[in-house]
């Protein structure tokens, strides 16, 4: 819990976290935090009010941090429980579908509503980083969440002929196992009762699941290319009154290419986190 209070005290500090870097160092819950330091400096500079006002400002700031800490903790606990439950429902639905039908055909259609709801809800993860209640880098969370949103809405939802591809099952399974593990890890951590197995799973499963998920995503986009080229969907052709053109086919190609620099960043970030959390290594990041 203290960890979250500290993160909350850092306020928007998380947004300053560097790409693929470790979370920003939490600020201590003391008057040395920037907000308090600024408040004290200004009261000294203008020469007005003495120690009383300074003390009340300090109390107010401490109270605000505590409130944000508790609120953030309650909210994150609710959020993580809801997300664990959502992805568990998805896992059960997928297993049941496969056991009843014996094929993956029609699987996506049967689970799409739940998937869209919970994956879209994950946009809040970017908000959590932006407002500083979790210390994850905004860029790391942003790339992770936006690539998922893109896959769900602009690829699998929009391009119906690819919904029965095996590659869809590949990323669905990778995402589902990952998210059940990840959100239960956060939940148990917040409750200060983290079973070692969950911690181990969180920092080991990704070694296989990340490449599997990425392969599923790339193969699915690849399978969509002929349909997108043939139909010209989401594309804007010239001439038009705005004089702009956009070709979704090339956009997909560029997106696929962007996995080459971006995915290793996420993967190595997770490997660094793994060394830190499971092996207690202190990782010193070089400033760019
Ligand atoms: C518009 C088109 C865009 C196209 C972009 C195309 C390029 C895409 C390239 C990227 C491809 C990604 C593909 C991906 O979708 C494939 C898969 O996901 S496959 C399945 C396997 N995946 C994974 O294993 C990924 C798992 N993902 C994550 O773990 C996170 O998303 C990530 C942000 C990457 C991890 O971040 P980080 O290591 O910094 O760790 P945490 O966020 O877990 O933790 C940092 C600290 O914050 C605390 N925290 C974070 N969130 C919460 C929360 N919800 N509740 C409570 N606490 C939270 C956490 O406990 C840590 O605290 P501490 O450091 O004190 O332990």
């Amino acid at each position: 819990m203290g960890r979250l209070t500290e993160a909350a005290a850092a306020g928007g500090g998380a947004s300053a976290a560097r790409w693929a870097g470790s979370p920003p160092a939490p600020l201590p819950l003391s008057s040395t935090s920037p907000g308090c330091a600024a408040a004290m400096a200004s009261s000294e500079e203008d020469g007005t009010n003495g120690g009383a006002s300074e003390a009340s400002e300090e109390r107010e700031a401490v109270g605000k941090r505590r409130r944000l800490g508790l609120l953030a903790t309650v909210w994150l606990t609710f959020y993580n429980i809801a997300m664990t439950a959502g992805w568990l429902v998805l896992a059960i639905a997928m297993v049941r579908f496969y056991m009843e039908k014996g094929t993956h055909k029609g699987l996506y259609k049967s689970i799409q509503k739940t998937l869209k709801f919970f994956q879209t809800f994950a946009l809040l993860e970017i908000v959590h980083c932006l407002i500083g209640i979790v210390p994850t880098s905004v860029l790391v969370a942003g790339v992770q969440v936006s690539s998922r949103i893109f896959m769900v809405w602009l690829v699998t939802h929009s391009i119906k002929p690819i919904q029965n591809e095996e590659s869809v099952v590949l990323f669905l399974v990778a995402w589902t196992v990952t998210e059940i593990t990840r959100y239960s890890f956060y939940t148990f951590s917040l409750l200060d009762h983290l079973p070692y197995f969950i911690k181990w799973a969180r920092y080991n499963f990704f070694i296989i699941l990340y490449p599997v998920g990425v392969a599923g995503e790339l193969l699915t986009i690849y399978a969509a290319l002929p349909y997108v080229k043939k139909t010209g969907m989401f594309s804007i052709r010239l001439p038009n009154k705005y004089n702009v053109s956009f070709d979704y086919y090339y956009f997909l190609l560029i997106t696929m290419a962007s996995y080459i620099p971006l995915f290793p960043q996420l993967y190595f970030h997770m490997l660094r986190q793994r060394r830190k959390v499971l092996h207690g290594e202190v990782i010193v990041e070089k400033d760019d």
Side-chain angles (χ1 to χ4, degrees):
M1 298 263 171
R3 180 164 46 88
L4 272 163
T5 313
E6 286 164 13
S15 59
R18 282 164 295 123
W19 163 247
S22 50
L27 294 169
L29 281 174
S30 73
S31 60
T32 52
S33 71
C36 297
M40 283 187 281
S42 70
S43 73
E44 274 164 22
E45 270 163 28
D46 64 19
T48 54
N49 63 32
S53 139
E54 198 177 297
S56 91
E57 268 174 24
E58 175 66 19
R59 271 199 304 277
E60 202 179 300
V62 169
K64 194 173 166 192
R65 283 199 297 270
R66 283 212 181 113
R67 277 198 304 281
L68 181 58
L70 180 66
L71 256 179
T73 306
V74 171
W75 162 249
L76 285 175
T77 308
F78 164 79
Y79 173 79
N80 292 319
I81 291 175
M83 292 300 264
T84 311
W87 286 95
L88 265 173
V89 166
L90 210 66
I92 294 167
M94 289 201 286
V95 171
R96 277 186 58 183
F97 182 94
Y98 197 77
M99 282 170 66
E100 279 168 20
K101 308 270 190 253
T103 172
H104 69 281
K105 297 213 165 84
L107 172 75
Y108 176 80
K109 201 167 177 222
S110 78
I111 53 98
Q112 59 174 333
K113 278 197 184 128
T114 319
L115 172 73
K116 284 173 194 163
F117 181 83
F118 285 99
Q119 189 52 62
T120 309
F121 204 47
L123 276 171
L124 283 174
E125 246 141 83
I126 301 177
V127 178
H128 295 160
C129 302
L130 282 170
I131 62 176
I133 60 171
V134 300
T136 312
S137 150
V138 179
L139 271 171
V140 173
V143 172
Q144 173 68 58
V145 175
S146 58
S147 67
R148 295 272 194 95
I149 296 286
F150 171 75
M151 277 312 296
V152 167
W153 287 106
L154 295 178
V155 179
T156 326
H157 163 78
S158 308
I159 308 171
K160 307 262 181 297
I162 55 152
Q163 290 176 354
N164 284 333
E165 293 285 328
E166 280 94 348
S167 55
V168 172
V169 182
L170 218 54
F171 76 72
L172 280 180
V173 170
W175 291 7
T176 307
V177 177
T178 300
E179 299 307 41
I180 294 170
T181 318
R182 187 163 75 93
Y183 290 114
S184 49
F185 170 87
Y186 296 145
T187 307
F188 287 118
S189 301
L190 284 170
L191 301 173
D192 268 337
H193 281 86
L194 178 64
Y196 184 76
F197 171 71
I198 303 272
K199 185 171 164 176
W200 183 91
R202 159 93 176 111
Y203 289 102
N204 278 295
F205 283 4
F206 79 90
I207 295 173
I208 301 291
L209 292 176
Y210 236 153
V212 169
V214 165
E217 292 172 29
L218 287 174
L219 288 169
T220 305
I221 303 177
Y222 182 74
L225 289 173
Y227 178 84
V228 172
K229 191 165 196 174
K230 198 174 83 190
T231 59
M233 66 182 289
F234 295 157
S235 299
I236 305 167
R237 305 259 177 256
L238 286 171
N240 59 62
K241 67 175 176 178
Y242 301 107
N243 211 21
V244 287
S245 75
F246 173 76
D247 196 317
Y248 191 51
Y249 176 79
Y250 287 107
F251 179 80
L252 287 182
L253 288 180
I254 293 167
T255 302
M256 288 174 83
S258 72
Y259 275 66
I260 299 169
L262 293 177
F263 171 58
Q265 303 263 6
L266 289 177
Y267 196 68
F268 286 113
H269 169 72
M270 287 301 291
L271 286 174
R272 278 195 296 271
Q273 292 291 88
R274 178 178 187 273
R275 290 210 304 274
K276 193 175 88 180
V277 176
L278 292 186
H279 305 295
E281 280 181 34
V282 179
I283 291 155
V284 181
E285 303 259 348
K286 276 198 293 181
D287 276 337
D288 300 326

